[in-house]
Amino acid sequence: MSNELIQIETPFQFSEENQRKFDKLIQRYPVKEAAMLPTLHLAQKQAGYISPAVMEHVAELLELPVMKVKDVVTFYPMFFEEPVGKYVIRVCYTLPCALRDCKLVLEHIKEKFNIDVASETDLAKGTTPDGKFTLLKSECLASCDVAPVVMVNDDLYKNLTPEKMEEILDGLE
Amino acid sequence: MVQERRILYEHLDVPDINTFDVFRQYDGYKRFEKTIKEHQPEEICDMVTQSGLKGRGGAGFSTGLKWSFVPRDIEPRYLCCNADESEPGTFSNRYVLEKNPHLLIEGILICCYAMGISTAYVYIRGEFTLGKRMLDAAIEEAYRHGYLGKNILGSGFDLDVYSHPGAGAYICGEETGLIESLEGKRGQPRVKPPFPAVEGLFHKPTVVQNVETLCNLPFLMGQGVEWYTSIGRTYGDTRFDPPQSDPNTGTKLYCISGDVNKPGVYELDLGLTAEELIEVAGGVKGERVKAVIPGGSSAPILTHYELECRLDFTSLTLWKSMLGSGGIIVMNETRNIVDCLLNIMKFYAHESCGQCTPCRWGTPWVRDIVQRIADGEGRQTTIQRPRFGIAEGGRWGDTGEMEEVYEDLDLLESVANNIANVDTMTWNTICVFGIAVSWPAVSYLRKFRPEFEAAIREGKLVTLPVEEATVPPEENYAYQQRIVPRLFEAPA
Amino acid sequence: MAFIKLNDLEVEVEDGTNIIEAARQHDIEVPHYCYHPGLTRPANCRMCLVEPHVFFPPAGKVVPDRQLATGCTTTVRTAPPDRKLDGKYDFIVRTDTPRVKKAREDILEFLLVHHPLDCPVCDQAGECDLQDFSYNHGSGKSRYLEVKNVPPKKDLGPDVLLYSTRCIVCTRCIRFCDEVAGTGELGLIHRGSHDEIDIPRDHDENPLRLLDNKLAGNVVDICPVGALISKDFLFKSRPWFMKQVNSVCPGCSVGCNITVDYKEDGLYRIKPRFHEDINQHWMCDDGRLGYHYVNSEDRLQIPMKRVDGELVPTSWADALNLIVEKFSETDPESIAVIGSAQGTNEENYLLGKLAREVLKTESIGLFGREPGEEHKFPQFTIDADKNPNTRGARDMLKLGEDASLTGEALWNGIANVKVAYLVNGAPERPLDEGAKQVLEAVDFLVVQDIFESDVAQLADVVLPGVTFAEKDGSFTNAKGWVQRIHRAVDPPGEARVDWEIIQQLAKRLGGEMDYHFAGEIALEIAENVPDYQDATHQNIGAGGVNIERG
């Protein structure tokens, strides 16, 4: 492990619109640190993932040591430290969905794209080579009545079967 | 058959109820208006106490009592609405957020008015993107119509409500974990005391309430304590009923999933039995019930012998389980309990925040043991009971009986109990996540031990017929203790 | 004061004391890892569980509480009269019940499931809390059959290595960087059993920041296991082979209390020692890692004199005779004596006595290291004055605020002096050209030093003195604390303890000095120097004496 500090070549900046959103966000809390999660969500939406440049910028905005940002980013599974596919597929794998054969759906996606399930520390193995899809197992998505469920980016798909999943994935550009 | 009583969910399916105008047509915000016109904040707290409303988030703690702990002389105070619904098997809050967000805002208004709070944060789990969008839109509308902001309806009462997204950590549903997460840190629960009511968000007094609890408030205030306490099953005189001194009033949004014909959220009076609930949900899918998880995946499991148990906060405690978040998961005869436990343990090992020692390293250990058993690699030895005598061949030697010992089952129970002891209900962890791990582990093992033993013996998962898989009632540690001791009966 | 029942003892402790400290005050050990008295208390290791007792109304008596409580976060307070337990106690707690012992054993089992069995190669072995508590409270066998986590070894910064496998995630180091240093370089990464301490890195493990603040070394001290290791001490010695003395850091005028670990062949490490009013539990890395000069091969080991422009070794007798000769033939007004802010009170006192009573000169000055930078941290300060005893030396040499031979004025002041006796003793003290010219102009310059420094190179006679680790004495820090330093190792070669050299000179000049040890001089200081009446070695002890507190 090297001891050489990395240099950030292209610093991250919020787009104008996101900067406006951030300025509004930060006013909601008596301490800046509290805006951490919404700010990271905002930054991830813009940058695709939380790169070191994003961490540095967020740390600067919230007036924190950069480690505090890294600390939070690694704790929460929704933040990615590596680039992910255009579509992030989260297959719920907790008991109620497991009782409703979510395994079939998961296996189907794995076979279809010939990828593994991504882990939080290795997203690359669950991402298609064209960078379009990333496959993740997810903990309960709180839709157990319509199990099995899959979230693709922000959209929830219910009562899935491998066939339905196929249809949905084919419909995604 | 038990009938649904829709109160919170009454107008859930009205088209566009998420808009202010439609919500107004169905009494929206009128209960809040009535409240600030007719009641002083202290009166509201008294009413909530009298109503017997219990927190719907999981612990079932009396809401009025919780409010009474909040010191009134420290400013500012905060409300955190817990919308981090992530207990497996629970999905009632999602519908409120997505379909009827104004109801939640009205509940927040009443709570904040009663507690003199002027800032409320709604912590929504990160995956609820639709719910957050709907709530944000509703908050904006409420501001526009003067129901949020400064000097609401000319009453001099100010309130700001903000939504705050989580990012996929189950532990942020624990109230102090939620507070830490809201402060922008890892969602690691805090040591209690001090409780959030005294020192919570930004080290100020903080009320943390579940969505469902807050949604009860408009109806409680609109129709009065008497009406509210009349809801809830009247208890017969069976010996299994909880004492009247600890009433379970109001309705509960029971979320039922798994092997039932009509899974979904059913709003029912607190106190119906598990059997009745399964009937309401269209009956079991498959031939018969093998097991029921009564309160989210962390609740101890019920066997088919225990379905007469009433699903309310007090009764389930007496049955050594809990209502928790009201997420009921039904398993039929085709399910393998070891496999189900493995799924749940994987969940907890993944979601442990890693802050304190027993949970950080105990939870994955429990998962690994279950995994080993499920893989058919569980350890089993035959030992000979010590008895000295004349053995075969006329020599002195051990003559004790041979006995099968399932070492890994003992280890599993011991490790789980070391995280949090199921029998004494004590935990060595910082928060109750510890007991949420050991409860399922120990209860599944004790109540369905034959199936665990079979997995070890056969070297693979074996699904036994229901009767064979289940420990009979007389050997069930929980079943024997379900009777209400008369000692605790309230004096007449 | 709260009156509590602690096991079978009835004791009084101050309000607000936690159970760990209350027990410690009465020699009862409550094992703990995450708790450190200088940091906040997250109660995450769960090792310090104790059994509080509470009044249980239905039973009408005091019973053990249902849950065990962490000793670190449980504080005792005086209870109102109607809330006393058993009529008189403010608190009742037991640390020795079977329940407590079982809990400790369980927690230790969890702590050890991923811990490697590498004690034989671990620097911490011998002073490791995990070893000690496992021995005292553990079960002695492991039931863990699964694969252990093996997180990587990490280089955190200039002096700190992290052996992640040994880490028990008590977060003391993180809290130290957040609370005391205020720099926040450390944090946790990942979650649950994958938690690791780390500095911020990108996804390829390259660091964005290093643990390079000036207090970083403290994280090694507070690490209860062998996870954080100082590169300086790595594989150097087993703790049990080293001896230890108390001392004071000579790095700046803060005067951090330290312990010096040494063997016969030199110093091995320096660690901070608790002092409530001076350094609490901490010290800076400049002081911690600044001891190497003591072990240096380049130390002066033998007196030297100038022959034909070159410094050549000579004997003590020859060197001292040469000086006596020069002093005797010089007019007292042309003699200057310059003490050292690096020296002890005792040697400066003798030097002052030599100047005034024997040499009859009032040209007395003070020499020392140049001021450096001041560093302020939320709970710690490193002083700009890089000498440990500026204040003490001034008091001993009776140099008032307007003394002419100190600081920059020194060079003007000795410009016309014919013979000068200058004591240095600083590990490094470069001279600028102006100062060099002044010293070159002095006819006969005697320098007492530890290295062939810039000053020594200009001398006509060089006397080998010793460092703080080779002598006894006392320093007075900037806030008036008089504190003891103790001799750890022997002086190198023929080098002699400074006050002995001064005494030898005085004797040869006909002065009356006959001290046998530094403490004797301190007794005289207590009599003669204002405010130092309490500063005898006996009184100073391990905690020091403050001369400002009259």
Side-chain angles (χ1 to χ4, degrees):
Chain A
M1 215 173 266
S2 90
N3 212 340
E4 202 101 324
L5 288 184
I6 57 158
Q7 298 302 318
I8 288 169
E9 274 153 23
T10 33
F12 172 82
Q13 284 292 333
F14 271 133
S15 65
E16 250 176 60
E17 191 200 342
N18 282 344
Q19 185 64 41
R20 263 200 307 280
K21 280 187 188 165
F22 171 79
D23 292 340
K24 235 170 112 184
L25 258 177
I26 198 88
Q27 287 166 7
R28 297 178 171 187
Y29 309 97
V31 293
K32 286 190 171 171
E33 188 177 5
M36 178 83 84
L37 295 187
T39 308
L40 285 171
H41 276 299
L42 204 60
Q44 177 158 292
K45 203 148 236 177
Q46 183 180 325
Y49 69 106
I50 309 286
S51 64
V54 173
M55 281 194 251
E56 292 277 7
H57 187 61
V58 172
E60 199 180 308
L61 287 173
L62 303 181
E63 294 166 17
L64 291 169
V66 67
M67 190 62 213
K68 297 289 156 237
V69 182
K70 169 96 182 177
D71 196 304
V72 168
V73 169
T74 57
F75 184 84
Y76 296 95
M78 284 187 78
F79 298 126
F80 305 121
E81 279 193 272
E82 291 172 79
V84 285
K86 184 177 170 196
Y87 296 103
V88 177
I89 308 166
R90 290 189 171 87
V91 181
C92 178
Y93 218 72
T94 316
L95 188 59
C97 280
L99 295 176
R100 294 284 181 124
D101 293 333
C102 64
K103 199 172 176 185
L104 299 179
V105 177
L106 185 83
E107 291 302 322
H108 182 79
I109 303 173
K110 273 166 76 173
E111 254 167 56
K112 181 178 165 72
F113 296 128
N114 194 22
I115 48 174
D116 209 348
V117 180
S119 75
E120 276 149 36
T121 45
D122 186 4
L123 292 165
K125 72 174 176 188
T127 307
T128 52
D130 60 358
K132 199 168 165 195
F133 296 100
T134 297
L135 175 62
L136 281 165
K137 270 190 195 176
S138 165
E139 302 303 356
C140 186
L141 289 170
S143 303
C144 318
D145 51 341
V146 287
V149 291
V150 168
M151 241 181 125
V152 180
N153 289 353
D154 287 352
D155 301 318
L156 189 77
Y157 297 95
K158 306 165 182 177
N159 289 323
L160 290 172
T161 56
E163 295 73 43
K164 273 194 201 168
M165 193 72 233
E166 174 86 32
E167 218 171 280
I168 291 160
L169 291 175
D170 287 342
L172 293 172
E173 266 319 299
Chain B
M1 196 166 101
V2 179
Q3 290 300 311
E4 262 201 274
R5 188 202 296 263
R6 286 195 157 210
I7 298 172
L8 273 62
Y9 267 26
E10 191 184 356
H11 306 301
L12 195 73
D13 297 323
V14 173
D16 295 331
I17 186 82
N18 60 313
T19 59
F20 182 83
D21 296 331
V22 179
F23 185 63
R24 279 297 277 180
Q25 287 168 23
Y26 292 92
D27 280 351
Y29 292 114
K30 292 189 181 139
R31 294 143 308 194
F32 167 66
E33 285 164 19
K34 177 172 176 254
T35 307
I36 55 169
K37 239 177 262 158
E38 291 176 9
H39 299 288
Q40 291 303 309
E42 294 74 29
E43 283 172 37
I44 304 170
C45 297
D46 290 344
M47 287 172 74
V48 171
T49 309
Q50 286 158 18
S51 73
L53 175 63
K54 287 171 185 281
R56 300 296 200 238
F61 193 77
S62 160
T63 305
L65 193 57
K66 191 194 265 184
W67 290 8
S68 72
F69 296 148
V70 177
R72 297 291 184 134
D73 51 350
I74 302 175
E75 297 277 351
R77 296 181 288 273
Y78 294 103
L79 169 70
C80 291
C81 170
N82 188 344
D84 189 60
E85 181 173 56
S86 33
E87 179 77 26
T90 317
F91 41 93
S92 56
N93 294 352
R94 174 196 274 271
Y95 287 118
V96 174
L97 291 165
E98 288 179 358
K99 295 188 174 174
N100 198 357
H102 280 290
L103 179 62
L104 174 62
I105 297 173
E106 192 175 2
I108 291 173
L109 274 164
I110 293 170
C111 174
C112 291
Y113 174 70
M115 302 305 296
I117 290 168
S118 56
T119 313
Y121 297 99
V122 183
Y123 188 99
I124 302 189
R125 70 176 290 195
E127 289 89 341
F128 283 4
T129 40
L130 176 62
K132 183 167 183 298
R133 246 190 345 260
M134 296 310 242
L135 181 69
D136 282 342
I139 290 173
E140 205 172 294
E141 272 189 309
Y143 270 109
R144 226 177 24 241
H145 289 92
Y147 285 88
L148 289 176
K150 296 267 173 258
N151 194 13
I152 296 165
L153 307 178
S155 64
F157 164 56
D158 307 334
L159 177 64
D160 286 313
V161 176
Y162 305 116
S163 69
H164 185 103
Y170 167 78
I171 195 63
C172 296
E174 202 274 354
E175 55 178 2
T176 52
L178 182 147
I179 287 170
E180 285 280 304
S181 179
L182 225 166
E183 288 183 4
K185 302 170 195 155
R186 306 185 135 225
Q188 294 179 333
R190 293 179 183 169
V191 179
K192 287 165 272 187
F195 288 90
V198 180
E199 195 187 315
L201 188 62
F202 309 121
H203 298 284
K204 299 288 181 210
T206 304
V207 183
V208 185
Q209 295 290 346
N210 178 264
V211 171
E212 193 182 332
T213 319
L214 289 169
C215 289
N216 268 291
L217 294 176
F219 304 103
L220 167 62
M221 296 315 296
Q223 298 177 65
V225 174
E226 214 161 289
W227 168 81
Y228 193 85
T229 48
S230 71
I231 306 170
R233 283 279 289 256
T234 36
Y235 295 110
D237 53 1
T238 72
R239 293 184 303 153
F240 313 136
D241 286 345
Q244 293 298 324
S245 55
D246 187 16
N248 284 267
T249 51
T251 58
K252 175 87 187 82
L253 299 171
Y254 290 100
C255 313
I256 183 160
S257 60
D259 298 319
V260 288
N261 287 317
K262 290 191 287 172
V265 182
Y266 295 90
E267 186 166 8
L268 296 153
D269 291 7
L270 266 170
L272 82 169
T273 65
E275 255 166 348
E276 287 168 328
L277 181 64
I278 293 169
E279 200 188 325
V280 172
V284 64
K285 197 177 182 181
E287 282 181 13
R288 58 183 300 192
V289 177
K290 185 171 190 178
V292 173
I293 301 172
S297 66
S298 54
I301 203 162
L302 301 178
T303 64
H304 72 276
Y305 296 110
E306 294 166 287
L307 299 183
E308 56 182 327
C309 173
R310 290 190 187 282
L311 300 175
D312 64 41
F313 294 103
T314 326
S315 310
L316 271 164
T317 309
L318 294 168
W319 287 67
K320 294 222 151 201
S321 186
M322 67 163 182
L323 182 58
S325 53
I328 288 106
I329 307 171
V330 180
M331 291 169 232
N332 67 14
E333 76 287 349
T334 64
R335 304 302 176 184
N336 188 297
I337 299 297
V338 184
D339 202 27
C340 293
L341 180 62
L342 178 61
N343 185 296
I344 290 174
M345 286 302 120
K346 279 182 177 167
F347 172 81
Y348 284 107
H350 181 254
E351 294 298 340
S352 165
C353 81
Q355 186 185 200
C356 63
T357 306
C359 179
R360 175 173 60 236
W361 285 326
T363 315
W365 189 4
V366 171
R367 176 203 58 199
D368 290 347
I369 298 168
V370 180
Q371 178 81 59
R372 204 165 60 212
I373 296 168
D375 289 348
E377 287 160 20
R379 287 176 304 153
Q380 166 202 27
T381 33
T382 313
I383 59 158
Q384 193 168 22
R385 289 249 158 237
R387 191 204 294 146
F388 202 53
I390 298 172
E392 274 175 50
R395 288 163 180 264
W396 286 97
D398 268 333
T399 58
E401 301 90 40
M402 303 303 282
E403 196 181 351
E404 291 284 289
V405 178
Y406 296 91
E407 283 164 287
D408 273 341
L409 298 187
D410 298 342
L411 181 65
L412 172 62
E413 187 171 336
S414 162
V415 173
N417 268 330
N418 285 353
I419 302 171
N421 193 310
V422 169
D423 296 313
T424 58
M425 278 295 290
T426 56
W427 46 91
N428 291 340
T429 48
I430 290 176
C431 72
V432 290
F433 189 97
I435 196 98
V437 175
S438 59
W439 245 344
V442 173
S443 67
Y444 287 35
L445 172 59
R446 287 189 184 166
K447 292 184 180 180
F448 293 93
R449 192 172 171 106
E451 205 149 277
F452 285 81
E453 289 181 353
I456 295 179
R457 214 172 34 238
E458 307 285 328
K460 62 175 199 277
L461 284 182
V462 184
T463 307
L464 299 177
V466 179
E467 298 293 343
E468 274 177 51
T470 317
V471 163
E474 53 273 19
E475 289 171 29
N476 183 331
Y477 75 107
Y479 191 81
Q480 295 304 322
Q481 296 171 33
R482 73 200 188 283
I483 299 164
V484 185
R486 290 288 164 204
L487 183 72
F488 289 146
E489 202 66 75
Chain C
M1 296 294 266
F3 184 58
I4 68 168
K5 190 170 174 199
L6 178 64
N7 296 347
D8 296 320
L9 300 175
E10 292 183 335
V11 296
E12 284 209 322
V13 293
E14 255 178 66
D15 276 28
T17 314
N18 68 15
I19 303 300
I20 295 182
E21 294 297 338
R24 196 188 333 241
Q25 285 164 19
H26 297 91
D27 290 334
I28 296 168
E29 180 195 62
V30 178
H32 58 269
Y33 296 107
C34 68
Y35 168 71
H36 188 284
L39 303 170
T40 52
R41 304 160 192 183
N44 64 32
C45 75
R46 315 307 288 173
M47 191 63 204
C48 65
L49 290 167
V50 292
E51 189 180 84
H53 290 222
V54 292
F55 183 72
F56 185 55
K61 62 177 182 184
V62 174
V63 297
D65 204 352
R66 200 172 65 83
Q67 294 271 10
L68 298 178
T70 43
C72 58
T73 54
T74 308
T75 49
V76 292
R77 282 188 202 291
T78 311
D82 58 324
R83 301 285 298 274
K84 301 267 188 212
L85 299 172
D86 283 349
K88 54 181 177 174
Y89 301 116
D90 294 310
F91 202 75
I92 301 178
V93 63
R94 292 204 75 97
T95 67
D96 58 355
T97 61
R99 206 149 67 108
V100 172
K101 287 177 181 165
K102 163 96 168 58
R104 285 176 187 167
E105 207 180 297
D106 297 344
I107 300 291
L108 271 169
E109 183 179 34
F110 287 128
L111 283 170
L112 290 170
V113 293
H114 290 294
H115 196 85
L117 283 169
D118 64 349
C119 301
V121 293
C122 176
D123 272 345
Q124 190 88 357
E127 49 184 14
C128 174
D129 286 349
L130 197 55
Q131 266 187 341
D132 295 349
F133 296 147
S134 296
Y135 185 77
N136 292 335
H137 308 284
S139 80
K141 56 175 194 275
S142 175
R143 300 181 294 169
Y144 190 71
L145 297 174
E146 272 63 41
V147 182
K148 290 186 182 226
N149 283 354
V150 188
K153 186 174 121 180
K154 293 170 186 165
D155 188 349
L156 298 186
D159 186 47
V160 185
L161 283 176
L162 171 64
Y163 287 78
S164 305
T165 43
R166 299 175 189 158
C167 179
I168 57 165
V169 205
C170 70
T171 69
R172 276 187 187 178
C173 50
I174 298 178
R175 282 173 282 142
F176 175 83
C177 290
D178 287 355
E179 295 160 18
V180 180
T183 46
E185 297 101 334
L186 290 181
L188 286 171
I189 56 167
H190 307 316
R191 192 169 72 181
S193 63
H194 299 291
D195 266 356
E196 285 171 42
I197 306 287
D198 207 353
I199 49 176
R201 295 176 196 270
D202 71 356
H203 203 260
D204 301 322
E205 305 294 330
N206 298 310
L208 294 164
R209 298 278 188 286
L210 292 175
L211 178 62
D212 55 0
N213 69 64
K214 277 190 175 292
L215 301 180
N218 290 296
V219 300
V220 176
D221 297 336
I222 58 177
C223 183
V225 296
L228 291 166
I229 295 287
S230 162
K231 290 181 195 171
D232 186 58
F233 186 64
L234 184 66
F235 303 140
K236 285 280 167 60
S237 174
R238 284 309 198 180
W240 57 86
F241 289 136
M242 298 188 294
K243 291 180 199 147
Q244 195 172 64
V245 289
N246 289 348
S247 193
V248 172
C249 174
C252 79
S253 63
V254 169
C256 290
N257 286 217
I258 57 170
T259 55
V260 176
D261 287 352
Y262 66 98
K263 291 199 224 176
E264 270 178 14
D265 58 345
L267 306 194
Y268 276 74
R269 79 178 160 183
I270 285 182
K271 285 170 79 169
R273 178 164 55 92
F274 177 71
H275 192 294
E276 196 180 351
D277 298 318
I278 298 170
N279 58 317
Q280 290 82 43
H281 306 269
W282 326 115
M283 75 182 296
C284 74
D285 284 7
D286 293 347
R288 179 189 301 271
L289 303 174
Y291 69 89
H292 289 281
Y293 71 93
V294 176
N295 301 343
S296 170
E297 297 272 311
D298 300 334
R299 287 277 303 278
L300 288 177
Q301 303 200 5
I302 193 159
M304 290 193 286
K305 66 176 178 183
R306 193 167 293 276
V307 178
D308 301 333
E310 292 282 316
L311 281 173
V312 294
T314 184
S315 68
W316 271 106
D318 185 37
L320 291 176
N321 283 339
L322 206 61
I323 300 165
V324 170
E325 204 177 293
K326 281 287 171 191
F327 274 151
S328 310
E329 65 185 39
T330 310
D331 179 15
E333 276 160 29
S334 300
I335 299 176
V337 172
I338 296 139
S340 170
Q342 293 277 326
T344 61
N345 287 334
E346 289 73 10
E347 61 204 49
N348 279 306
Y349 177 79
L350 283 200
L351 202 64
K353 203 167 162 178
L354 170 79
R356 291 201 175 85
E357 293 176 15
V358 182
L359 299 171
K360 313 281 186 211
T361 177
E362 279 298 323
S363 301
I364 301 171
L366 183 62
F367 188 64
R369 292 174 70 187
E370 294 280 314
E373 241 179 282
E374 187 188 64
H375 294 275
K376 272 196 183 300
F377 299 93
Q379 291 183 36
F380 196 85
T381 303
I382 304 172
D383 267 2
D385 180 358
K386 296 299 171 198
N387 299 294
N389 198 27
T390 308
R391 176 156 180 180
R394 276 175 171 273
D395 291 344
M396 295 304 131
L397 298 166
K398 299 196 172 67
L399 300 174
E401 283 301 310
D402 53 344
S404 58
L405 294 181
T406 58
E408 282 302 306
L410 174 65
W411 309 118
N412 288 330
I414 61 168
N416 302 318
V417 163
K418 289 204 177 99
V419 175
Y421 177 21
L422 187 148
V423 182
N424 180 19
E428 52 176 326
R429 176 61 169 98
L431 289 181
D432 59 25
E433 281 308 309
K436 277 185 183 167
Q437 276 171 17
V438 170
L439 287 178
E440 267 166 15
V442 175
D443 288 353
F444 189 78
L445 177 65
V446 180
V447 171
Q448 188 167 314
D449 209 340
I450 55 172
F451 284 107
E452 263 194 74
S453 60
D454 279 9
V455 209
Q457 277 168 8
L458 299 170
D460 295 286
V461 173
V462 180
L463 303 174
V466 298
T467 64
F468 77 104
E470 291 141 353
K471 63 190 172 192
D472 288 308
S474 61
F475 287 151
T476 310
N477 83 350
K479 288 181 180 158
W481 282 96
V482 188
Q483 308 188 89
R484 286 275 278 126
I485 60 168
H486 291 273
R487 176 172 176 153
V489 289
D490 290 335
E494 288 182 27
R496 287 188 189 173
V497 175
D498 296 83
W499 68 262
E500 287 177 7
I501 302 173
I502 299 163
Q503 173 164 296
Q504 282 287 328
L505 261 179
K507 272 184 175 170
R508 283 169 191 247
L509 286 163
E512 281 182 24
M513 280 193 201
D514 191 18
Y515 305 99
H516 298 91
F517 52 95
E520 238 178 311
I521 310 171
L523 284 173
E524 200 176 307
I525 292 172
E527 275 174 35
N528 293 342
V529 181
D531 298 335
Y532 279 75
Q533 60 275 14
D534 293 329
T536 62
H537 283 191
Q538 199 176 359
N539 282 349
I540 294 172
V545 163
N546 196 321
I547 54 171
E548 284 176 6
R549 292 185 182 173

